[in-house]
């Protein structure tokens, strides 16, 4: 099933792309014309114009997108931040031919009885999260109830950090191609990345360690963080509870840099006020509800990228109305790197 890019002869001049982007070209579209930059003497060399025409990307309003890019470029990288969902956004939807696991779903406790209890909670509350008949405030209360009960089971079941590491090692989870390169590109330009998740920060950190094998100084995780005792046993959770309906900039007090290893002391997060002064946003999500991640931030310009991973034919129209750019069919991250590099270019 093909969904051709709706840019219709829009020409985007993309400058200063990292040389590793040249690894990706569309093998399914004969009309994609790309020319990649090279790296020489410590500088990225200028690229020629790129005409985008891909089966992976669609833009609902090219003129609006062009104007947003221009505004962000004018303000400069110092005013930009990236807000990203984790599951099925930074990670793949399909892994090895099957549905990839989420950061919450991959967790296996030492006691299978508690895995079964958490599954029972999921079976009960998950339909309520998407119920069309429940008011938002009622849903929020139910989500707080669900997350609270789940966290209590993790503590009662004696979850250990060793179990987290083993769960990640055994998990069917993988990052999209280009995620590490995107983080590197942003790190070089001191552009912060906030990973918002209603899951567990400690699991996300472990996935980053095992799958990307490094940390990034510009990446922070806004998620539920565990507290372990000296024996590596979970004893409590830190700070406010973050669930699927409140993961936004109001939760910035929960943001923390990625820990280099288990047991690292939290780094002070008094730069959150500086983040709020970065009033231009690139938002990445896989669900229209992820657009709420920028709630609480008084932004000037926001460019949103939606990953439509499945049910493309039924959902494409809705996603095109909601997001500035839509990437379909579990697309890699290369198109996002092209976009952000253009946003950061000093060329007019």
């Amino acid at each position: 099933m093909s969904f051709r890019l709706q840019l219709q002869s829009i020409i985007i001049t993309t400058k200063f792309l990292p040389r590793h982007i040249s690894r990706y070209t569309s093998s399914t579209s004969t009309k994609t014309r790309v020319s990649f930059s090279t790296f020489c003497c410590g500088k990225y060399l200028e690229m020629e114009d790129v005409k985008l025409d891909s089966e992976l990307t669609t833009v609902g309003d090219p003129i609006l997108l062009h104007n947003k890019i221009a505004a962000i470029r004018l303000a400069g990288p110092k005013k930009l931040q990236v807000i990203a969902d984790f599951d099925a956004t930074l990670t793949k939807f399909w892994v090895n031919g099957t549905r990839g696991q989420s950061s919450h779903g991959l967790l296996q406790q030492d006691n299978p009885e508690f895995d079964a209890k958490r599954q029972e909670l999921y079976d009960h509350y998950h339909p309520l999260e998407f119920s069309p008949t429940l008011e938002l405030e009622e849903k929020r209360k139910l989500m707080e109830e669900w997350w609270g009960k789940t966290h209590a089971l993790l503590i009662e079941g004696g979850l250990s950090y060793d179990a987290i590491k083993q769960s990640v090692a055994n998990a069917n989870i993988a990052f999209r191609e280009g995620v590490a390169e995107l983080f590197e590109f942003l790190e070089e330009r001191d552009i912060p990345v906030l990973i918002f998740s209603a899951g567990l920060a400690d699991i996300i950190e472990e996935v980053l360690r095992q799958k990307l094998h490094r940390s990034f100084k510009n990446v922070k995780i806004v998620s539920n963080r565990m507290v372990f005792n000296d024996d590596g046993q979970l004893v409590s959770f830190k700070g406010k509870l973050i669930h699927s309906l409140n993961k936004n900039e109001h939760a910035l007090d929960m943001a923390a840099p990625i820990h280099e290893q288990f047991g690292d002391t939290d780094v002070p997060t008094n730069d959150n006020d500086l983040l709020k002064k970065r009033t231009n946003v690139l938002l990445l999500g896989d669900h229209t509800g992820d657009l709420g991640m920028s709630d609480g931030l008084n932004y000037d310009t926001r460019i949103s990228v939606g990953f439509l991973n499945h049910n493309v034919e039924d959902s494409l129209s809705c996603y095109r109305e909601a997001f500035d750019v839509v990437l379909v069919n579990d697309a890699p991250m290369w198109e996002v790197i092209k976009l952000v590099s253009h946003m950061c270019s000093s060329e007019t």
Side-chain angles (χ1 to χ4, degrees):
M1 189 179 301
S2 296
F3 296 90
R4 305 192 68 80
L5 181 67
Q6 304 296 315
L7 283 176
Q8 300 173 342
S9 300
I10 294 295
I11 303 291
I12 297 181
T13 302
T14 310
K15 313 283 186 182
F16 307 106
L17 278 174
R19 64 188 183 279
H20 46 244
I21 296 178
S22 62
R23 295 185 305 180
Y24 173 70
T25 57
S26 175
S27 61
T28 58
S29 174
T30 59
K31 293 187 178 181
T32 299
R33 179 169 60 85
V34 292
S35 177
F36 296 98
S37 63
T38 57
F39 187 83
C40 179
C41 302
K43 295 181 180 179
Y44 293 113
L45 301 182
E46 180 176 325
M47 288 180 59
E48 67 179 53
D49 291 352
V50 178
K51 184 176 182 180
L52 297 177
D53 186 0
S54 168
E55 293 185 355
L56 295 176
T57 312
T58 179
V59 175
D61 190 337
I63 295 176
L64 177 61
L65 176 62
H66 173 82
N67 291 338
K68 287 185 175 184
I69 292 173
I72 291 176
R73 288 176 65 179
L74 183 62
K78 290 184 179 181
K79 297 292 286 184
L80 179 63
Q81 64 174 295
V82 176
I83 298 174
D85 176 51
F86 186 75
D87 293 313
T89 296
L90 297 178
T91 61
K92 294 181 178 180
F93 188 84
W94 298 106
V95 181
N96 300 322
T98 62
R99 175 70 171 91
Q101 290 179 291
S102 69
S103 56
H104 231 306
L106 65 82
L107 182 59
Q108 298 294 309
Q109 294 181 245
D110 297 318
N111 188 335
E113 174 188 350
F114 287 90
D115 292 332
K117 289 181 178 180
R118 287 189 292 113
Q119 183 61 45
E120 289 175 4
L121 290 177
Y122 177 90
D123 293 340
H124 173 72
Y125 285 101
H126 186 256
L128 299 177
E129 180 181 2
F130 296 97
S131 170
T133 61
L134 294 176
E135 296 293 334
L136 180 59
E137 190 57 36
E138 185 176 358
K139 284 186 179 182
R140 286 198 182 102
K141 292 178 181 178
L142 289 168
M143 294 306 100
E144 290 177 8
E145 187 178 283
W146 179 11
W147 261 251
K149 289 180 179 179
T150 298
H151 289 181
L153 285 174
L154 294 175
I155 296 172
E156 183 183 354
L159 179 67
S160 67
Y161 198 81
D162 285 340
I164 291 177
K165 291 193 289 186
Q166 191 60 48
S167 294
V168 172
N170 296 337
N172 190 42
I173 189 170
F175 286 99
R176 295 179 189 273
E177 293 180 0
V179 166
E181 289 84 350
L182 175 64
F183 287 173
E184 289 171 3
F185 184 89
L186 296 169
E187 184 179 49
E188 290 170 1
R189 289 153 182 78
D190 294 321
I191 297 173
V193 179
L194 294 181
I195 298 176
F196 280 71
S197 175
L200 300 165
D202 306 83
I203 293 178
I204 293 172
E205 286 182 352
E206 190 60 33
V207 174
L208 287 162
R209 276 192 287 267
Q210 291 194 27
K211 305 302 181 181
L212 297 184
H213 309 292
R214 60 159 296 183
S215 60
F216 300 87
K217 65 182 181 181
N218 61 321
V219 176
K220 287 187 172 186
I221 298 174
V222 182
S223 189
N224 298 291
R225 190 167 292 278
M226 300 173 174
V227 177
F228 296 88
N229 62 21
D230 293 338
D231 296 323
Q233 299 291 316
L234 175 64
V235 293
S236 65
F237 284 82
K238 190 178 301 183
K240 300 175 182 177
L241 186 149
I242 299 176
H243 54 76
S244 58
L245 298 181
N246 74 346
K247 57 171 190 175
N248 54 41
E249 289 268 352
H250 290 298
L252 267 179
D253 58 336
M254 293 291 292
I258 297 172
H259 294 182
E260 291 291 344
Q261 59 186 13
F262 166 62
D264 278 2
T265 303
D266 281 339
V267 177
T269 58
N270 55 5
D271 59 346
N272 289 339
D273 287 339
L274 297 178
L275 283 174
K276 292 180 179 180
K277 294 179 180 179
R278 289 180 174 264
T279 51
N280 292 327
V281 176
L282 174 63
L283 185 148
L284 312 177
D286 70 298
H287 190 279
T288 55
D290 289 331
L291 293 167
M293 292 188 298
S294 58
D295 290 352
L297 176 66
N298 187 22
Y299 59 81
D300 295 325
T301 305
R302 182 186 73 178
I303 293 178
S304 57
V305 178
F307 288 85
L308 178 52
N309 298 306
H310 66 128
N311 295 332
V312 175
E313 187 172 11
D314 293 336
S315 302
L316 183 59
S317 177
C318 174
Y319 271 64
R320 288 186 63 194
E321 290 182 6
F323 292 95
D324 295 301
V325 179
V326 180
L327 298 176
V328 300
N329 298 330
D330 213 12
M333 199 62 72
W334 305 121
E335 297 299 319
V336 175
I337 299 177
K338 292 179 188 179
L339 177 63
V340 75
S341 66
H342 189 59
M343 291 160 58
C344 293
S345 172
S346 59
E347 297 293 324
T348 56

